[in-house]
Amino acid sequence: MPLTLTRPDLQRTANFIGGEWCAAAGRTLDVTDPATGALIAQVPDSGADAARAAADAAHAAFPAWRRTPAKQRAQILKRWNDLVLAHQEDLGRLISREQGKPLAEGIGEVAYAASYIEWFAEEATRANGDVIPAPVPGRRMFAIKEPVGVVAAITPWNFPAAMIARKIAPALAAGCTVVCKPAEDTPLTSLALVALAAQAGVPAGVLNIVTASRERTPEVVDVWLDDARVRKITFTGSTPVGKHLARRSADTLKKLSLELGGNAPFIVFEDADLHAAVDGLMAAKFRNGGQTCVCPNRVFVHEAVHDEFAGLLAARVGSLRVGPASDPASQIGPMINARAIEKIERHVQDAVSRGARVLAGGARLPALGPNYFAPTVLVNADATMACACEETFGPVVPLTRFANEAEVVAQANDTPFGLAAYFYSRDVRRIWRVADALEAGIVGINEGALAAEAAPFGGVKDSGYGREGSVHGLDDYLHTKYVCQGQLD
Ligand code: SIN
């Protein structure tokens, strides 16, 4: 099925460097529909030359952009936000087609992306420093916020619009210039967003984007890692890649924001409102078909309410509509690619071979296409299973029984990861005890939908560091310069 957009020029298939669209000079990368495997478009499979050109352009544009008054940068970002919202339907179609999420979710993601652009447009004018009372006479002391410089943004495929917005909007608001490498599975949404940013008035060289395949991505990123002019890397993706970037950034001591893997616990205490807990779990787990860093990966249910909760959940999960993004009734689309579906299948088979029982789903849905997996509920899951140790990144809910609070908090924290954690309880003392004890950057109490532009998003432990969104999200693109003036008496 052809991709029809109200504004066909939003389907871009070239790199954008120094304000120019640069078509592939050599190799190309196929962008395919995860529902069918059909070719949608071809974009450049770029290498070191394009990466270097992008860094040169971003470096050249930095002095003027950092001097551009914050209010002017804010106005450009506001225009970008308005254009993104004006083209919400087209962008939603692009997201759904290349990423596979149902159209309503794709359109919803555009609004989510725009909320970050709007937020950082407003924050741009508030990068305030401090006037520090001097400890000695005759001095004035200041802490001044400055943009860090050229930022390399490496973005994931699961939220192709929102993650671009969450990284690029604060960078531009702070006065940084950007080189970006979007995920190989979903470059079209990113290119469309960059086209709208240029239309909004982002000057040439301030925002540059280079597409590349999985195989060639290291060639692109290595150029930026080795380039001392690139002062910051912001990355969302796997923990091994995040650690690699941290190691490789050491020689040029870049600032880093790493939003890495999660293994979120979701705890249902015996005093929880079970219907609210099921609603929260459905919202948190099945957003984007479970392909979300913050989605619950391990669900612990108190033994007193386990069977009732499992029954309620299995009924809801069993009624989810799985199908292509093009069907308005679909609630779960295809998984992103063959690697993803193989991992999900491996996790379910491993769990069953170790004693888990399937209450709903449990298998691929080949009649729909190669990348569909039935939303699944497993009971009798335990910590030895792959689904408890690794992020499944798919529509699988493994339930584990627990007997008491101390035990479940220890189990929840028994992972190298610490991105999100959720729990349901109506006991106010327990609520604050457990919220304090959970080792996670984000905690949901009686709430499954946590993401918001005004909230700090990020992890602890192997889930990375740095925060996106909120006032803290701007700070990640700034450094503090101490200025002291003497001889004033
Ligand atoms: C992610 O999965 O990395 C982002 C999810 C979100 O913004 O809620």
Side-chain angles (χ1 to χ4, degrees), residues 449-466:
L450 306 180
E453 73 281 10
F457 189 104
V460 297
K461 300 177 10 187
D462 269 8
S463 293
Y465 42 73

Side-chain angles (χ1 to χ4, degrees), residues 55 62 67 118 129 162 187 199 219 252 260 289 301 333 356 363 403-404 414 464 478:
F62 178 61
R67 278 198 308 273
E118 184 185 41
Q199 186 184 340
E219 196 183 316
T252 50
L260 308 178
V301 188
N404 68 62
D414 186 19
L478 296 166

Side-chain angles (χ1 to χ4, degrees), residues 112 116 156 158-159 162-163 166 236 259 287 291-295 393 419 450-451 457:
Y112 181 46
Y116 284 100
N158 60 343
F159 289 89
M163 298 305 103
R166 195 149 92 183
T236 296
E259 200 257 272
R287 177 173 170 234
Q291 301 172 109
T292 307
C293 298
V294 286
C295 76
F393 233 60
L419 186 54
L450 306 180
F457 189 104

Side-chain angles (χ1 to χ4, degrees), residues 160-373:
M163 298 305 103
I164 287 269
R166 195 149 92 183
K167 292 178 185 313
I168 291 179
L172 300 188
C176 299
T177 55
V178 175
V179 292
C180 174
K181 209 295 296 170
E184 64 278 6
D185 291 301
T186 56
L188 300 178
T189 307
S190 327
L191 294 171
L193 284 173
V194 168
L196 292 173
Q199 186 184 340
V202 172
V206 168
L207 175 53
N208 308 276
I209 185 160
V210 170
T211 56
S213 63
R214 191 178 175 80
E215 293 69 39
R216 286 195 101 188
T217 290
E219 196 183 316
V220 169
V221 174
D222 279 354
V223 167
W224 297 340
L225 285 165
D226 291 334
D227 190 335
R229 300 171 305 172
V230 175
R231 296 308 315 141
K232 175 179 169 96
I233 304 266
T234 172
F235 170 70
T236 296
S238 75
T239 296
V241 173
K243 288 184 176 177
H244 167 76
L245 294 173
R247 275 191 289 270
R248 284 282 278 103
S249 299
D251 280 346
T252 50
L253 282 180
K254 296 183 203 311
K255 194 169 167 124
L256 289 163
S257 294
L258 300 173
E259 200 257 272
L260 308 178
N263 185 5
F266 187 106
I267 306 169
V268 183
F269 285 102
E270 66 278 24
D271 55 50
D273 173 337
L274 292 193
H275 291 275
V278 171
D279 286 346
L281 182 55
M282 294 298 293
K285 178 71 221 187
F286 292 102
R287 177 173 170 234
N288 198 16
Q291 301 172 109
T292 307
C293 298
V294 286
C295 76
N297 205 50
R298 299 168 294 148
V299 180
F300 301 99
V301 188
H302 191 273
E303 57 192 11
V305 294
H306 176 277
D307 292 353
E308 185 184 354
F309 182 82
L312 291 169
L313 180 69
R316 288 281 292 278
V317 171
S319 69
L320 284 171
R321 274 284 288 266
V322 184
S326 54
D327 178 353
S330 297
Q331 293 166 295
I332 306 277
M335 300 295 104
I336 187 71
N337 55 33
R339 271 195 320 282
I341 198 113
E342 279 155 18
K343 183 179 191 190
I344 296 164
E345 187 171 49
R346 173 171 65 77
H347 278 196
V348 172
Q349 287 173 353
D350 168 78
V352 170
S353 74
R354 290 168 192 271
R357 190 161 53 84
V358 176
L359 270 199
R364 293 188 192 224
L365 297 170
L368 288 172
N371 292 337
Y372 289 93
F373 203 92

Side-chain angles (χ1 to χ4, degrees), residues 103-183:
L103 183 58
E105 266 195 77
I107 290 174
E109 186 190 330
V110 179
Y112 181 46
S115 73
Y116 284 100
I117 303 176
E118 184 185 41
W119 173 268
F120 286 111
E122 289 164 358
E123 284 302 298
T125 56
R126 295 180 199 132
N128 303 327
D130 304 308
V131 180
I132 303 161
V136 290
R139 284 193 192 174
R140 287 285 163 111
M141 296 166 52
F142 309 90
I144 293 172
K145 297 286 183 177
E146 293 189 333
V148 294
V150 176
V151 172
I154 304 164
T155 60
W157 51 263
N158 60 343
F159 289 89
M163 298 305 103
I164 287 269
R166 195 149 92 183
K167 292 178 185 313
I168 291 179
L172 300 188
C176 299
T177 55
V178 175
V179 292
C180 174
K181 209 295 296 170

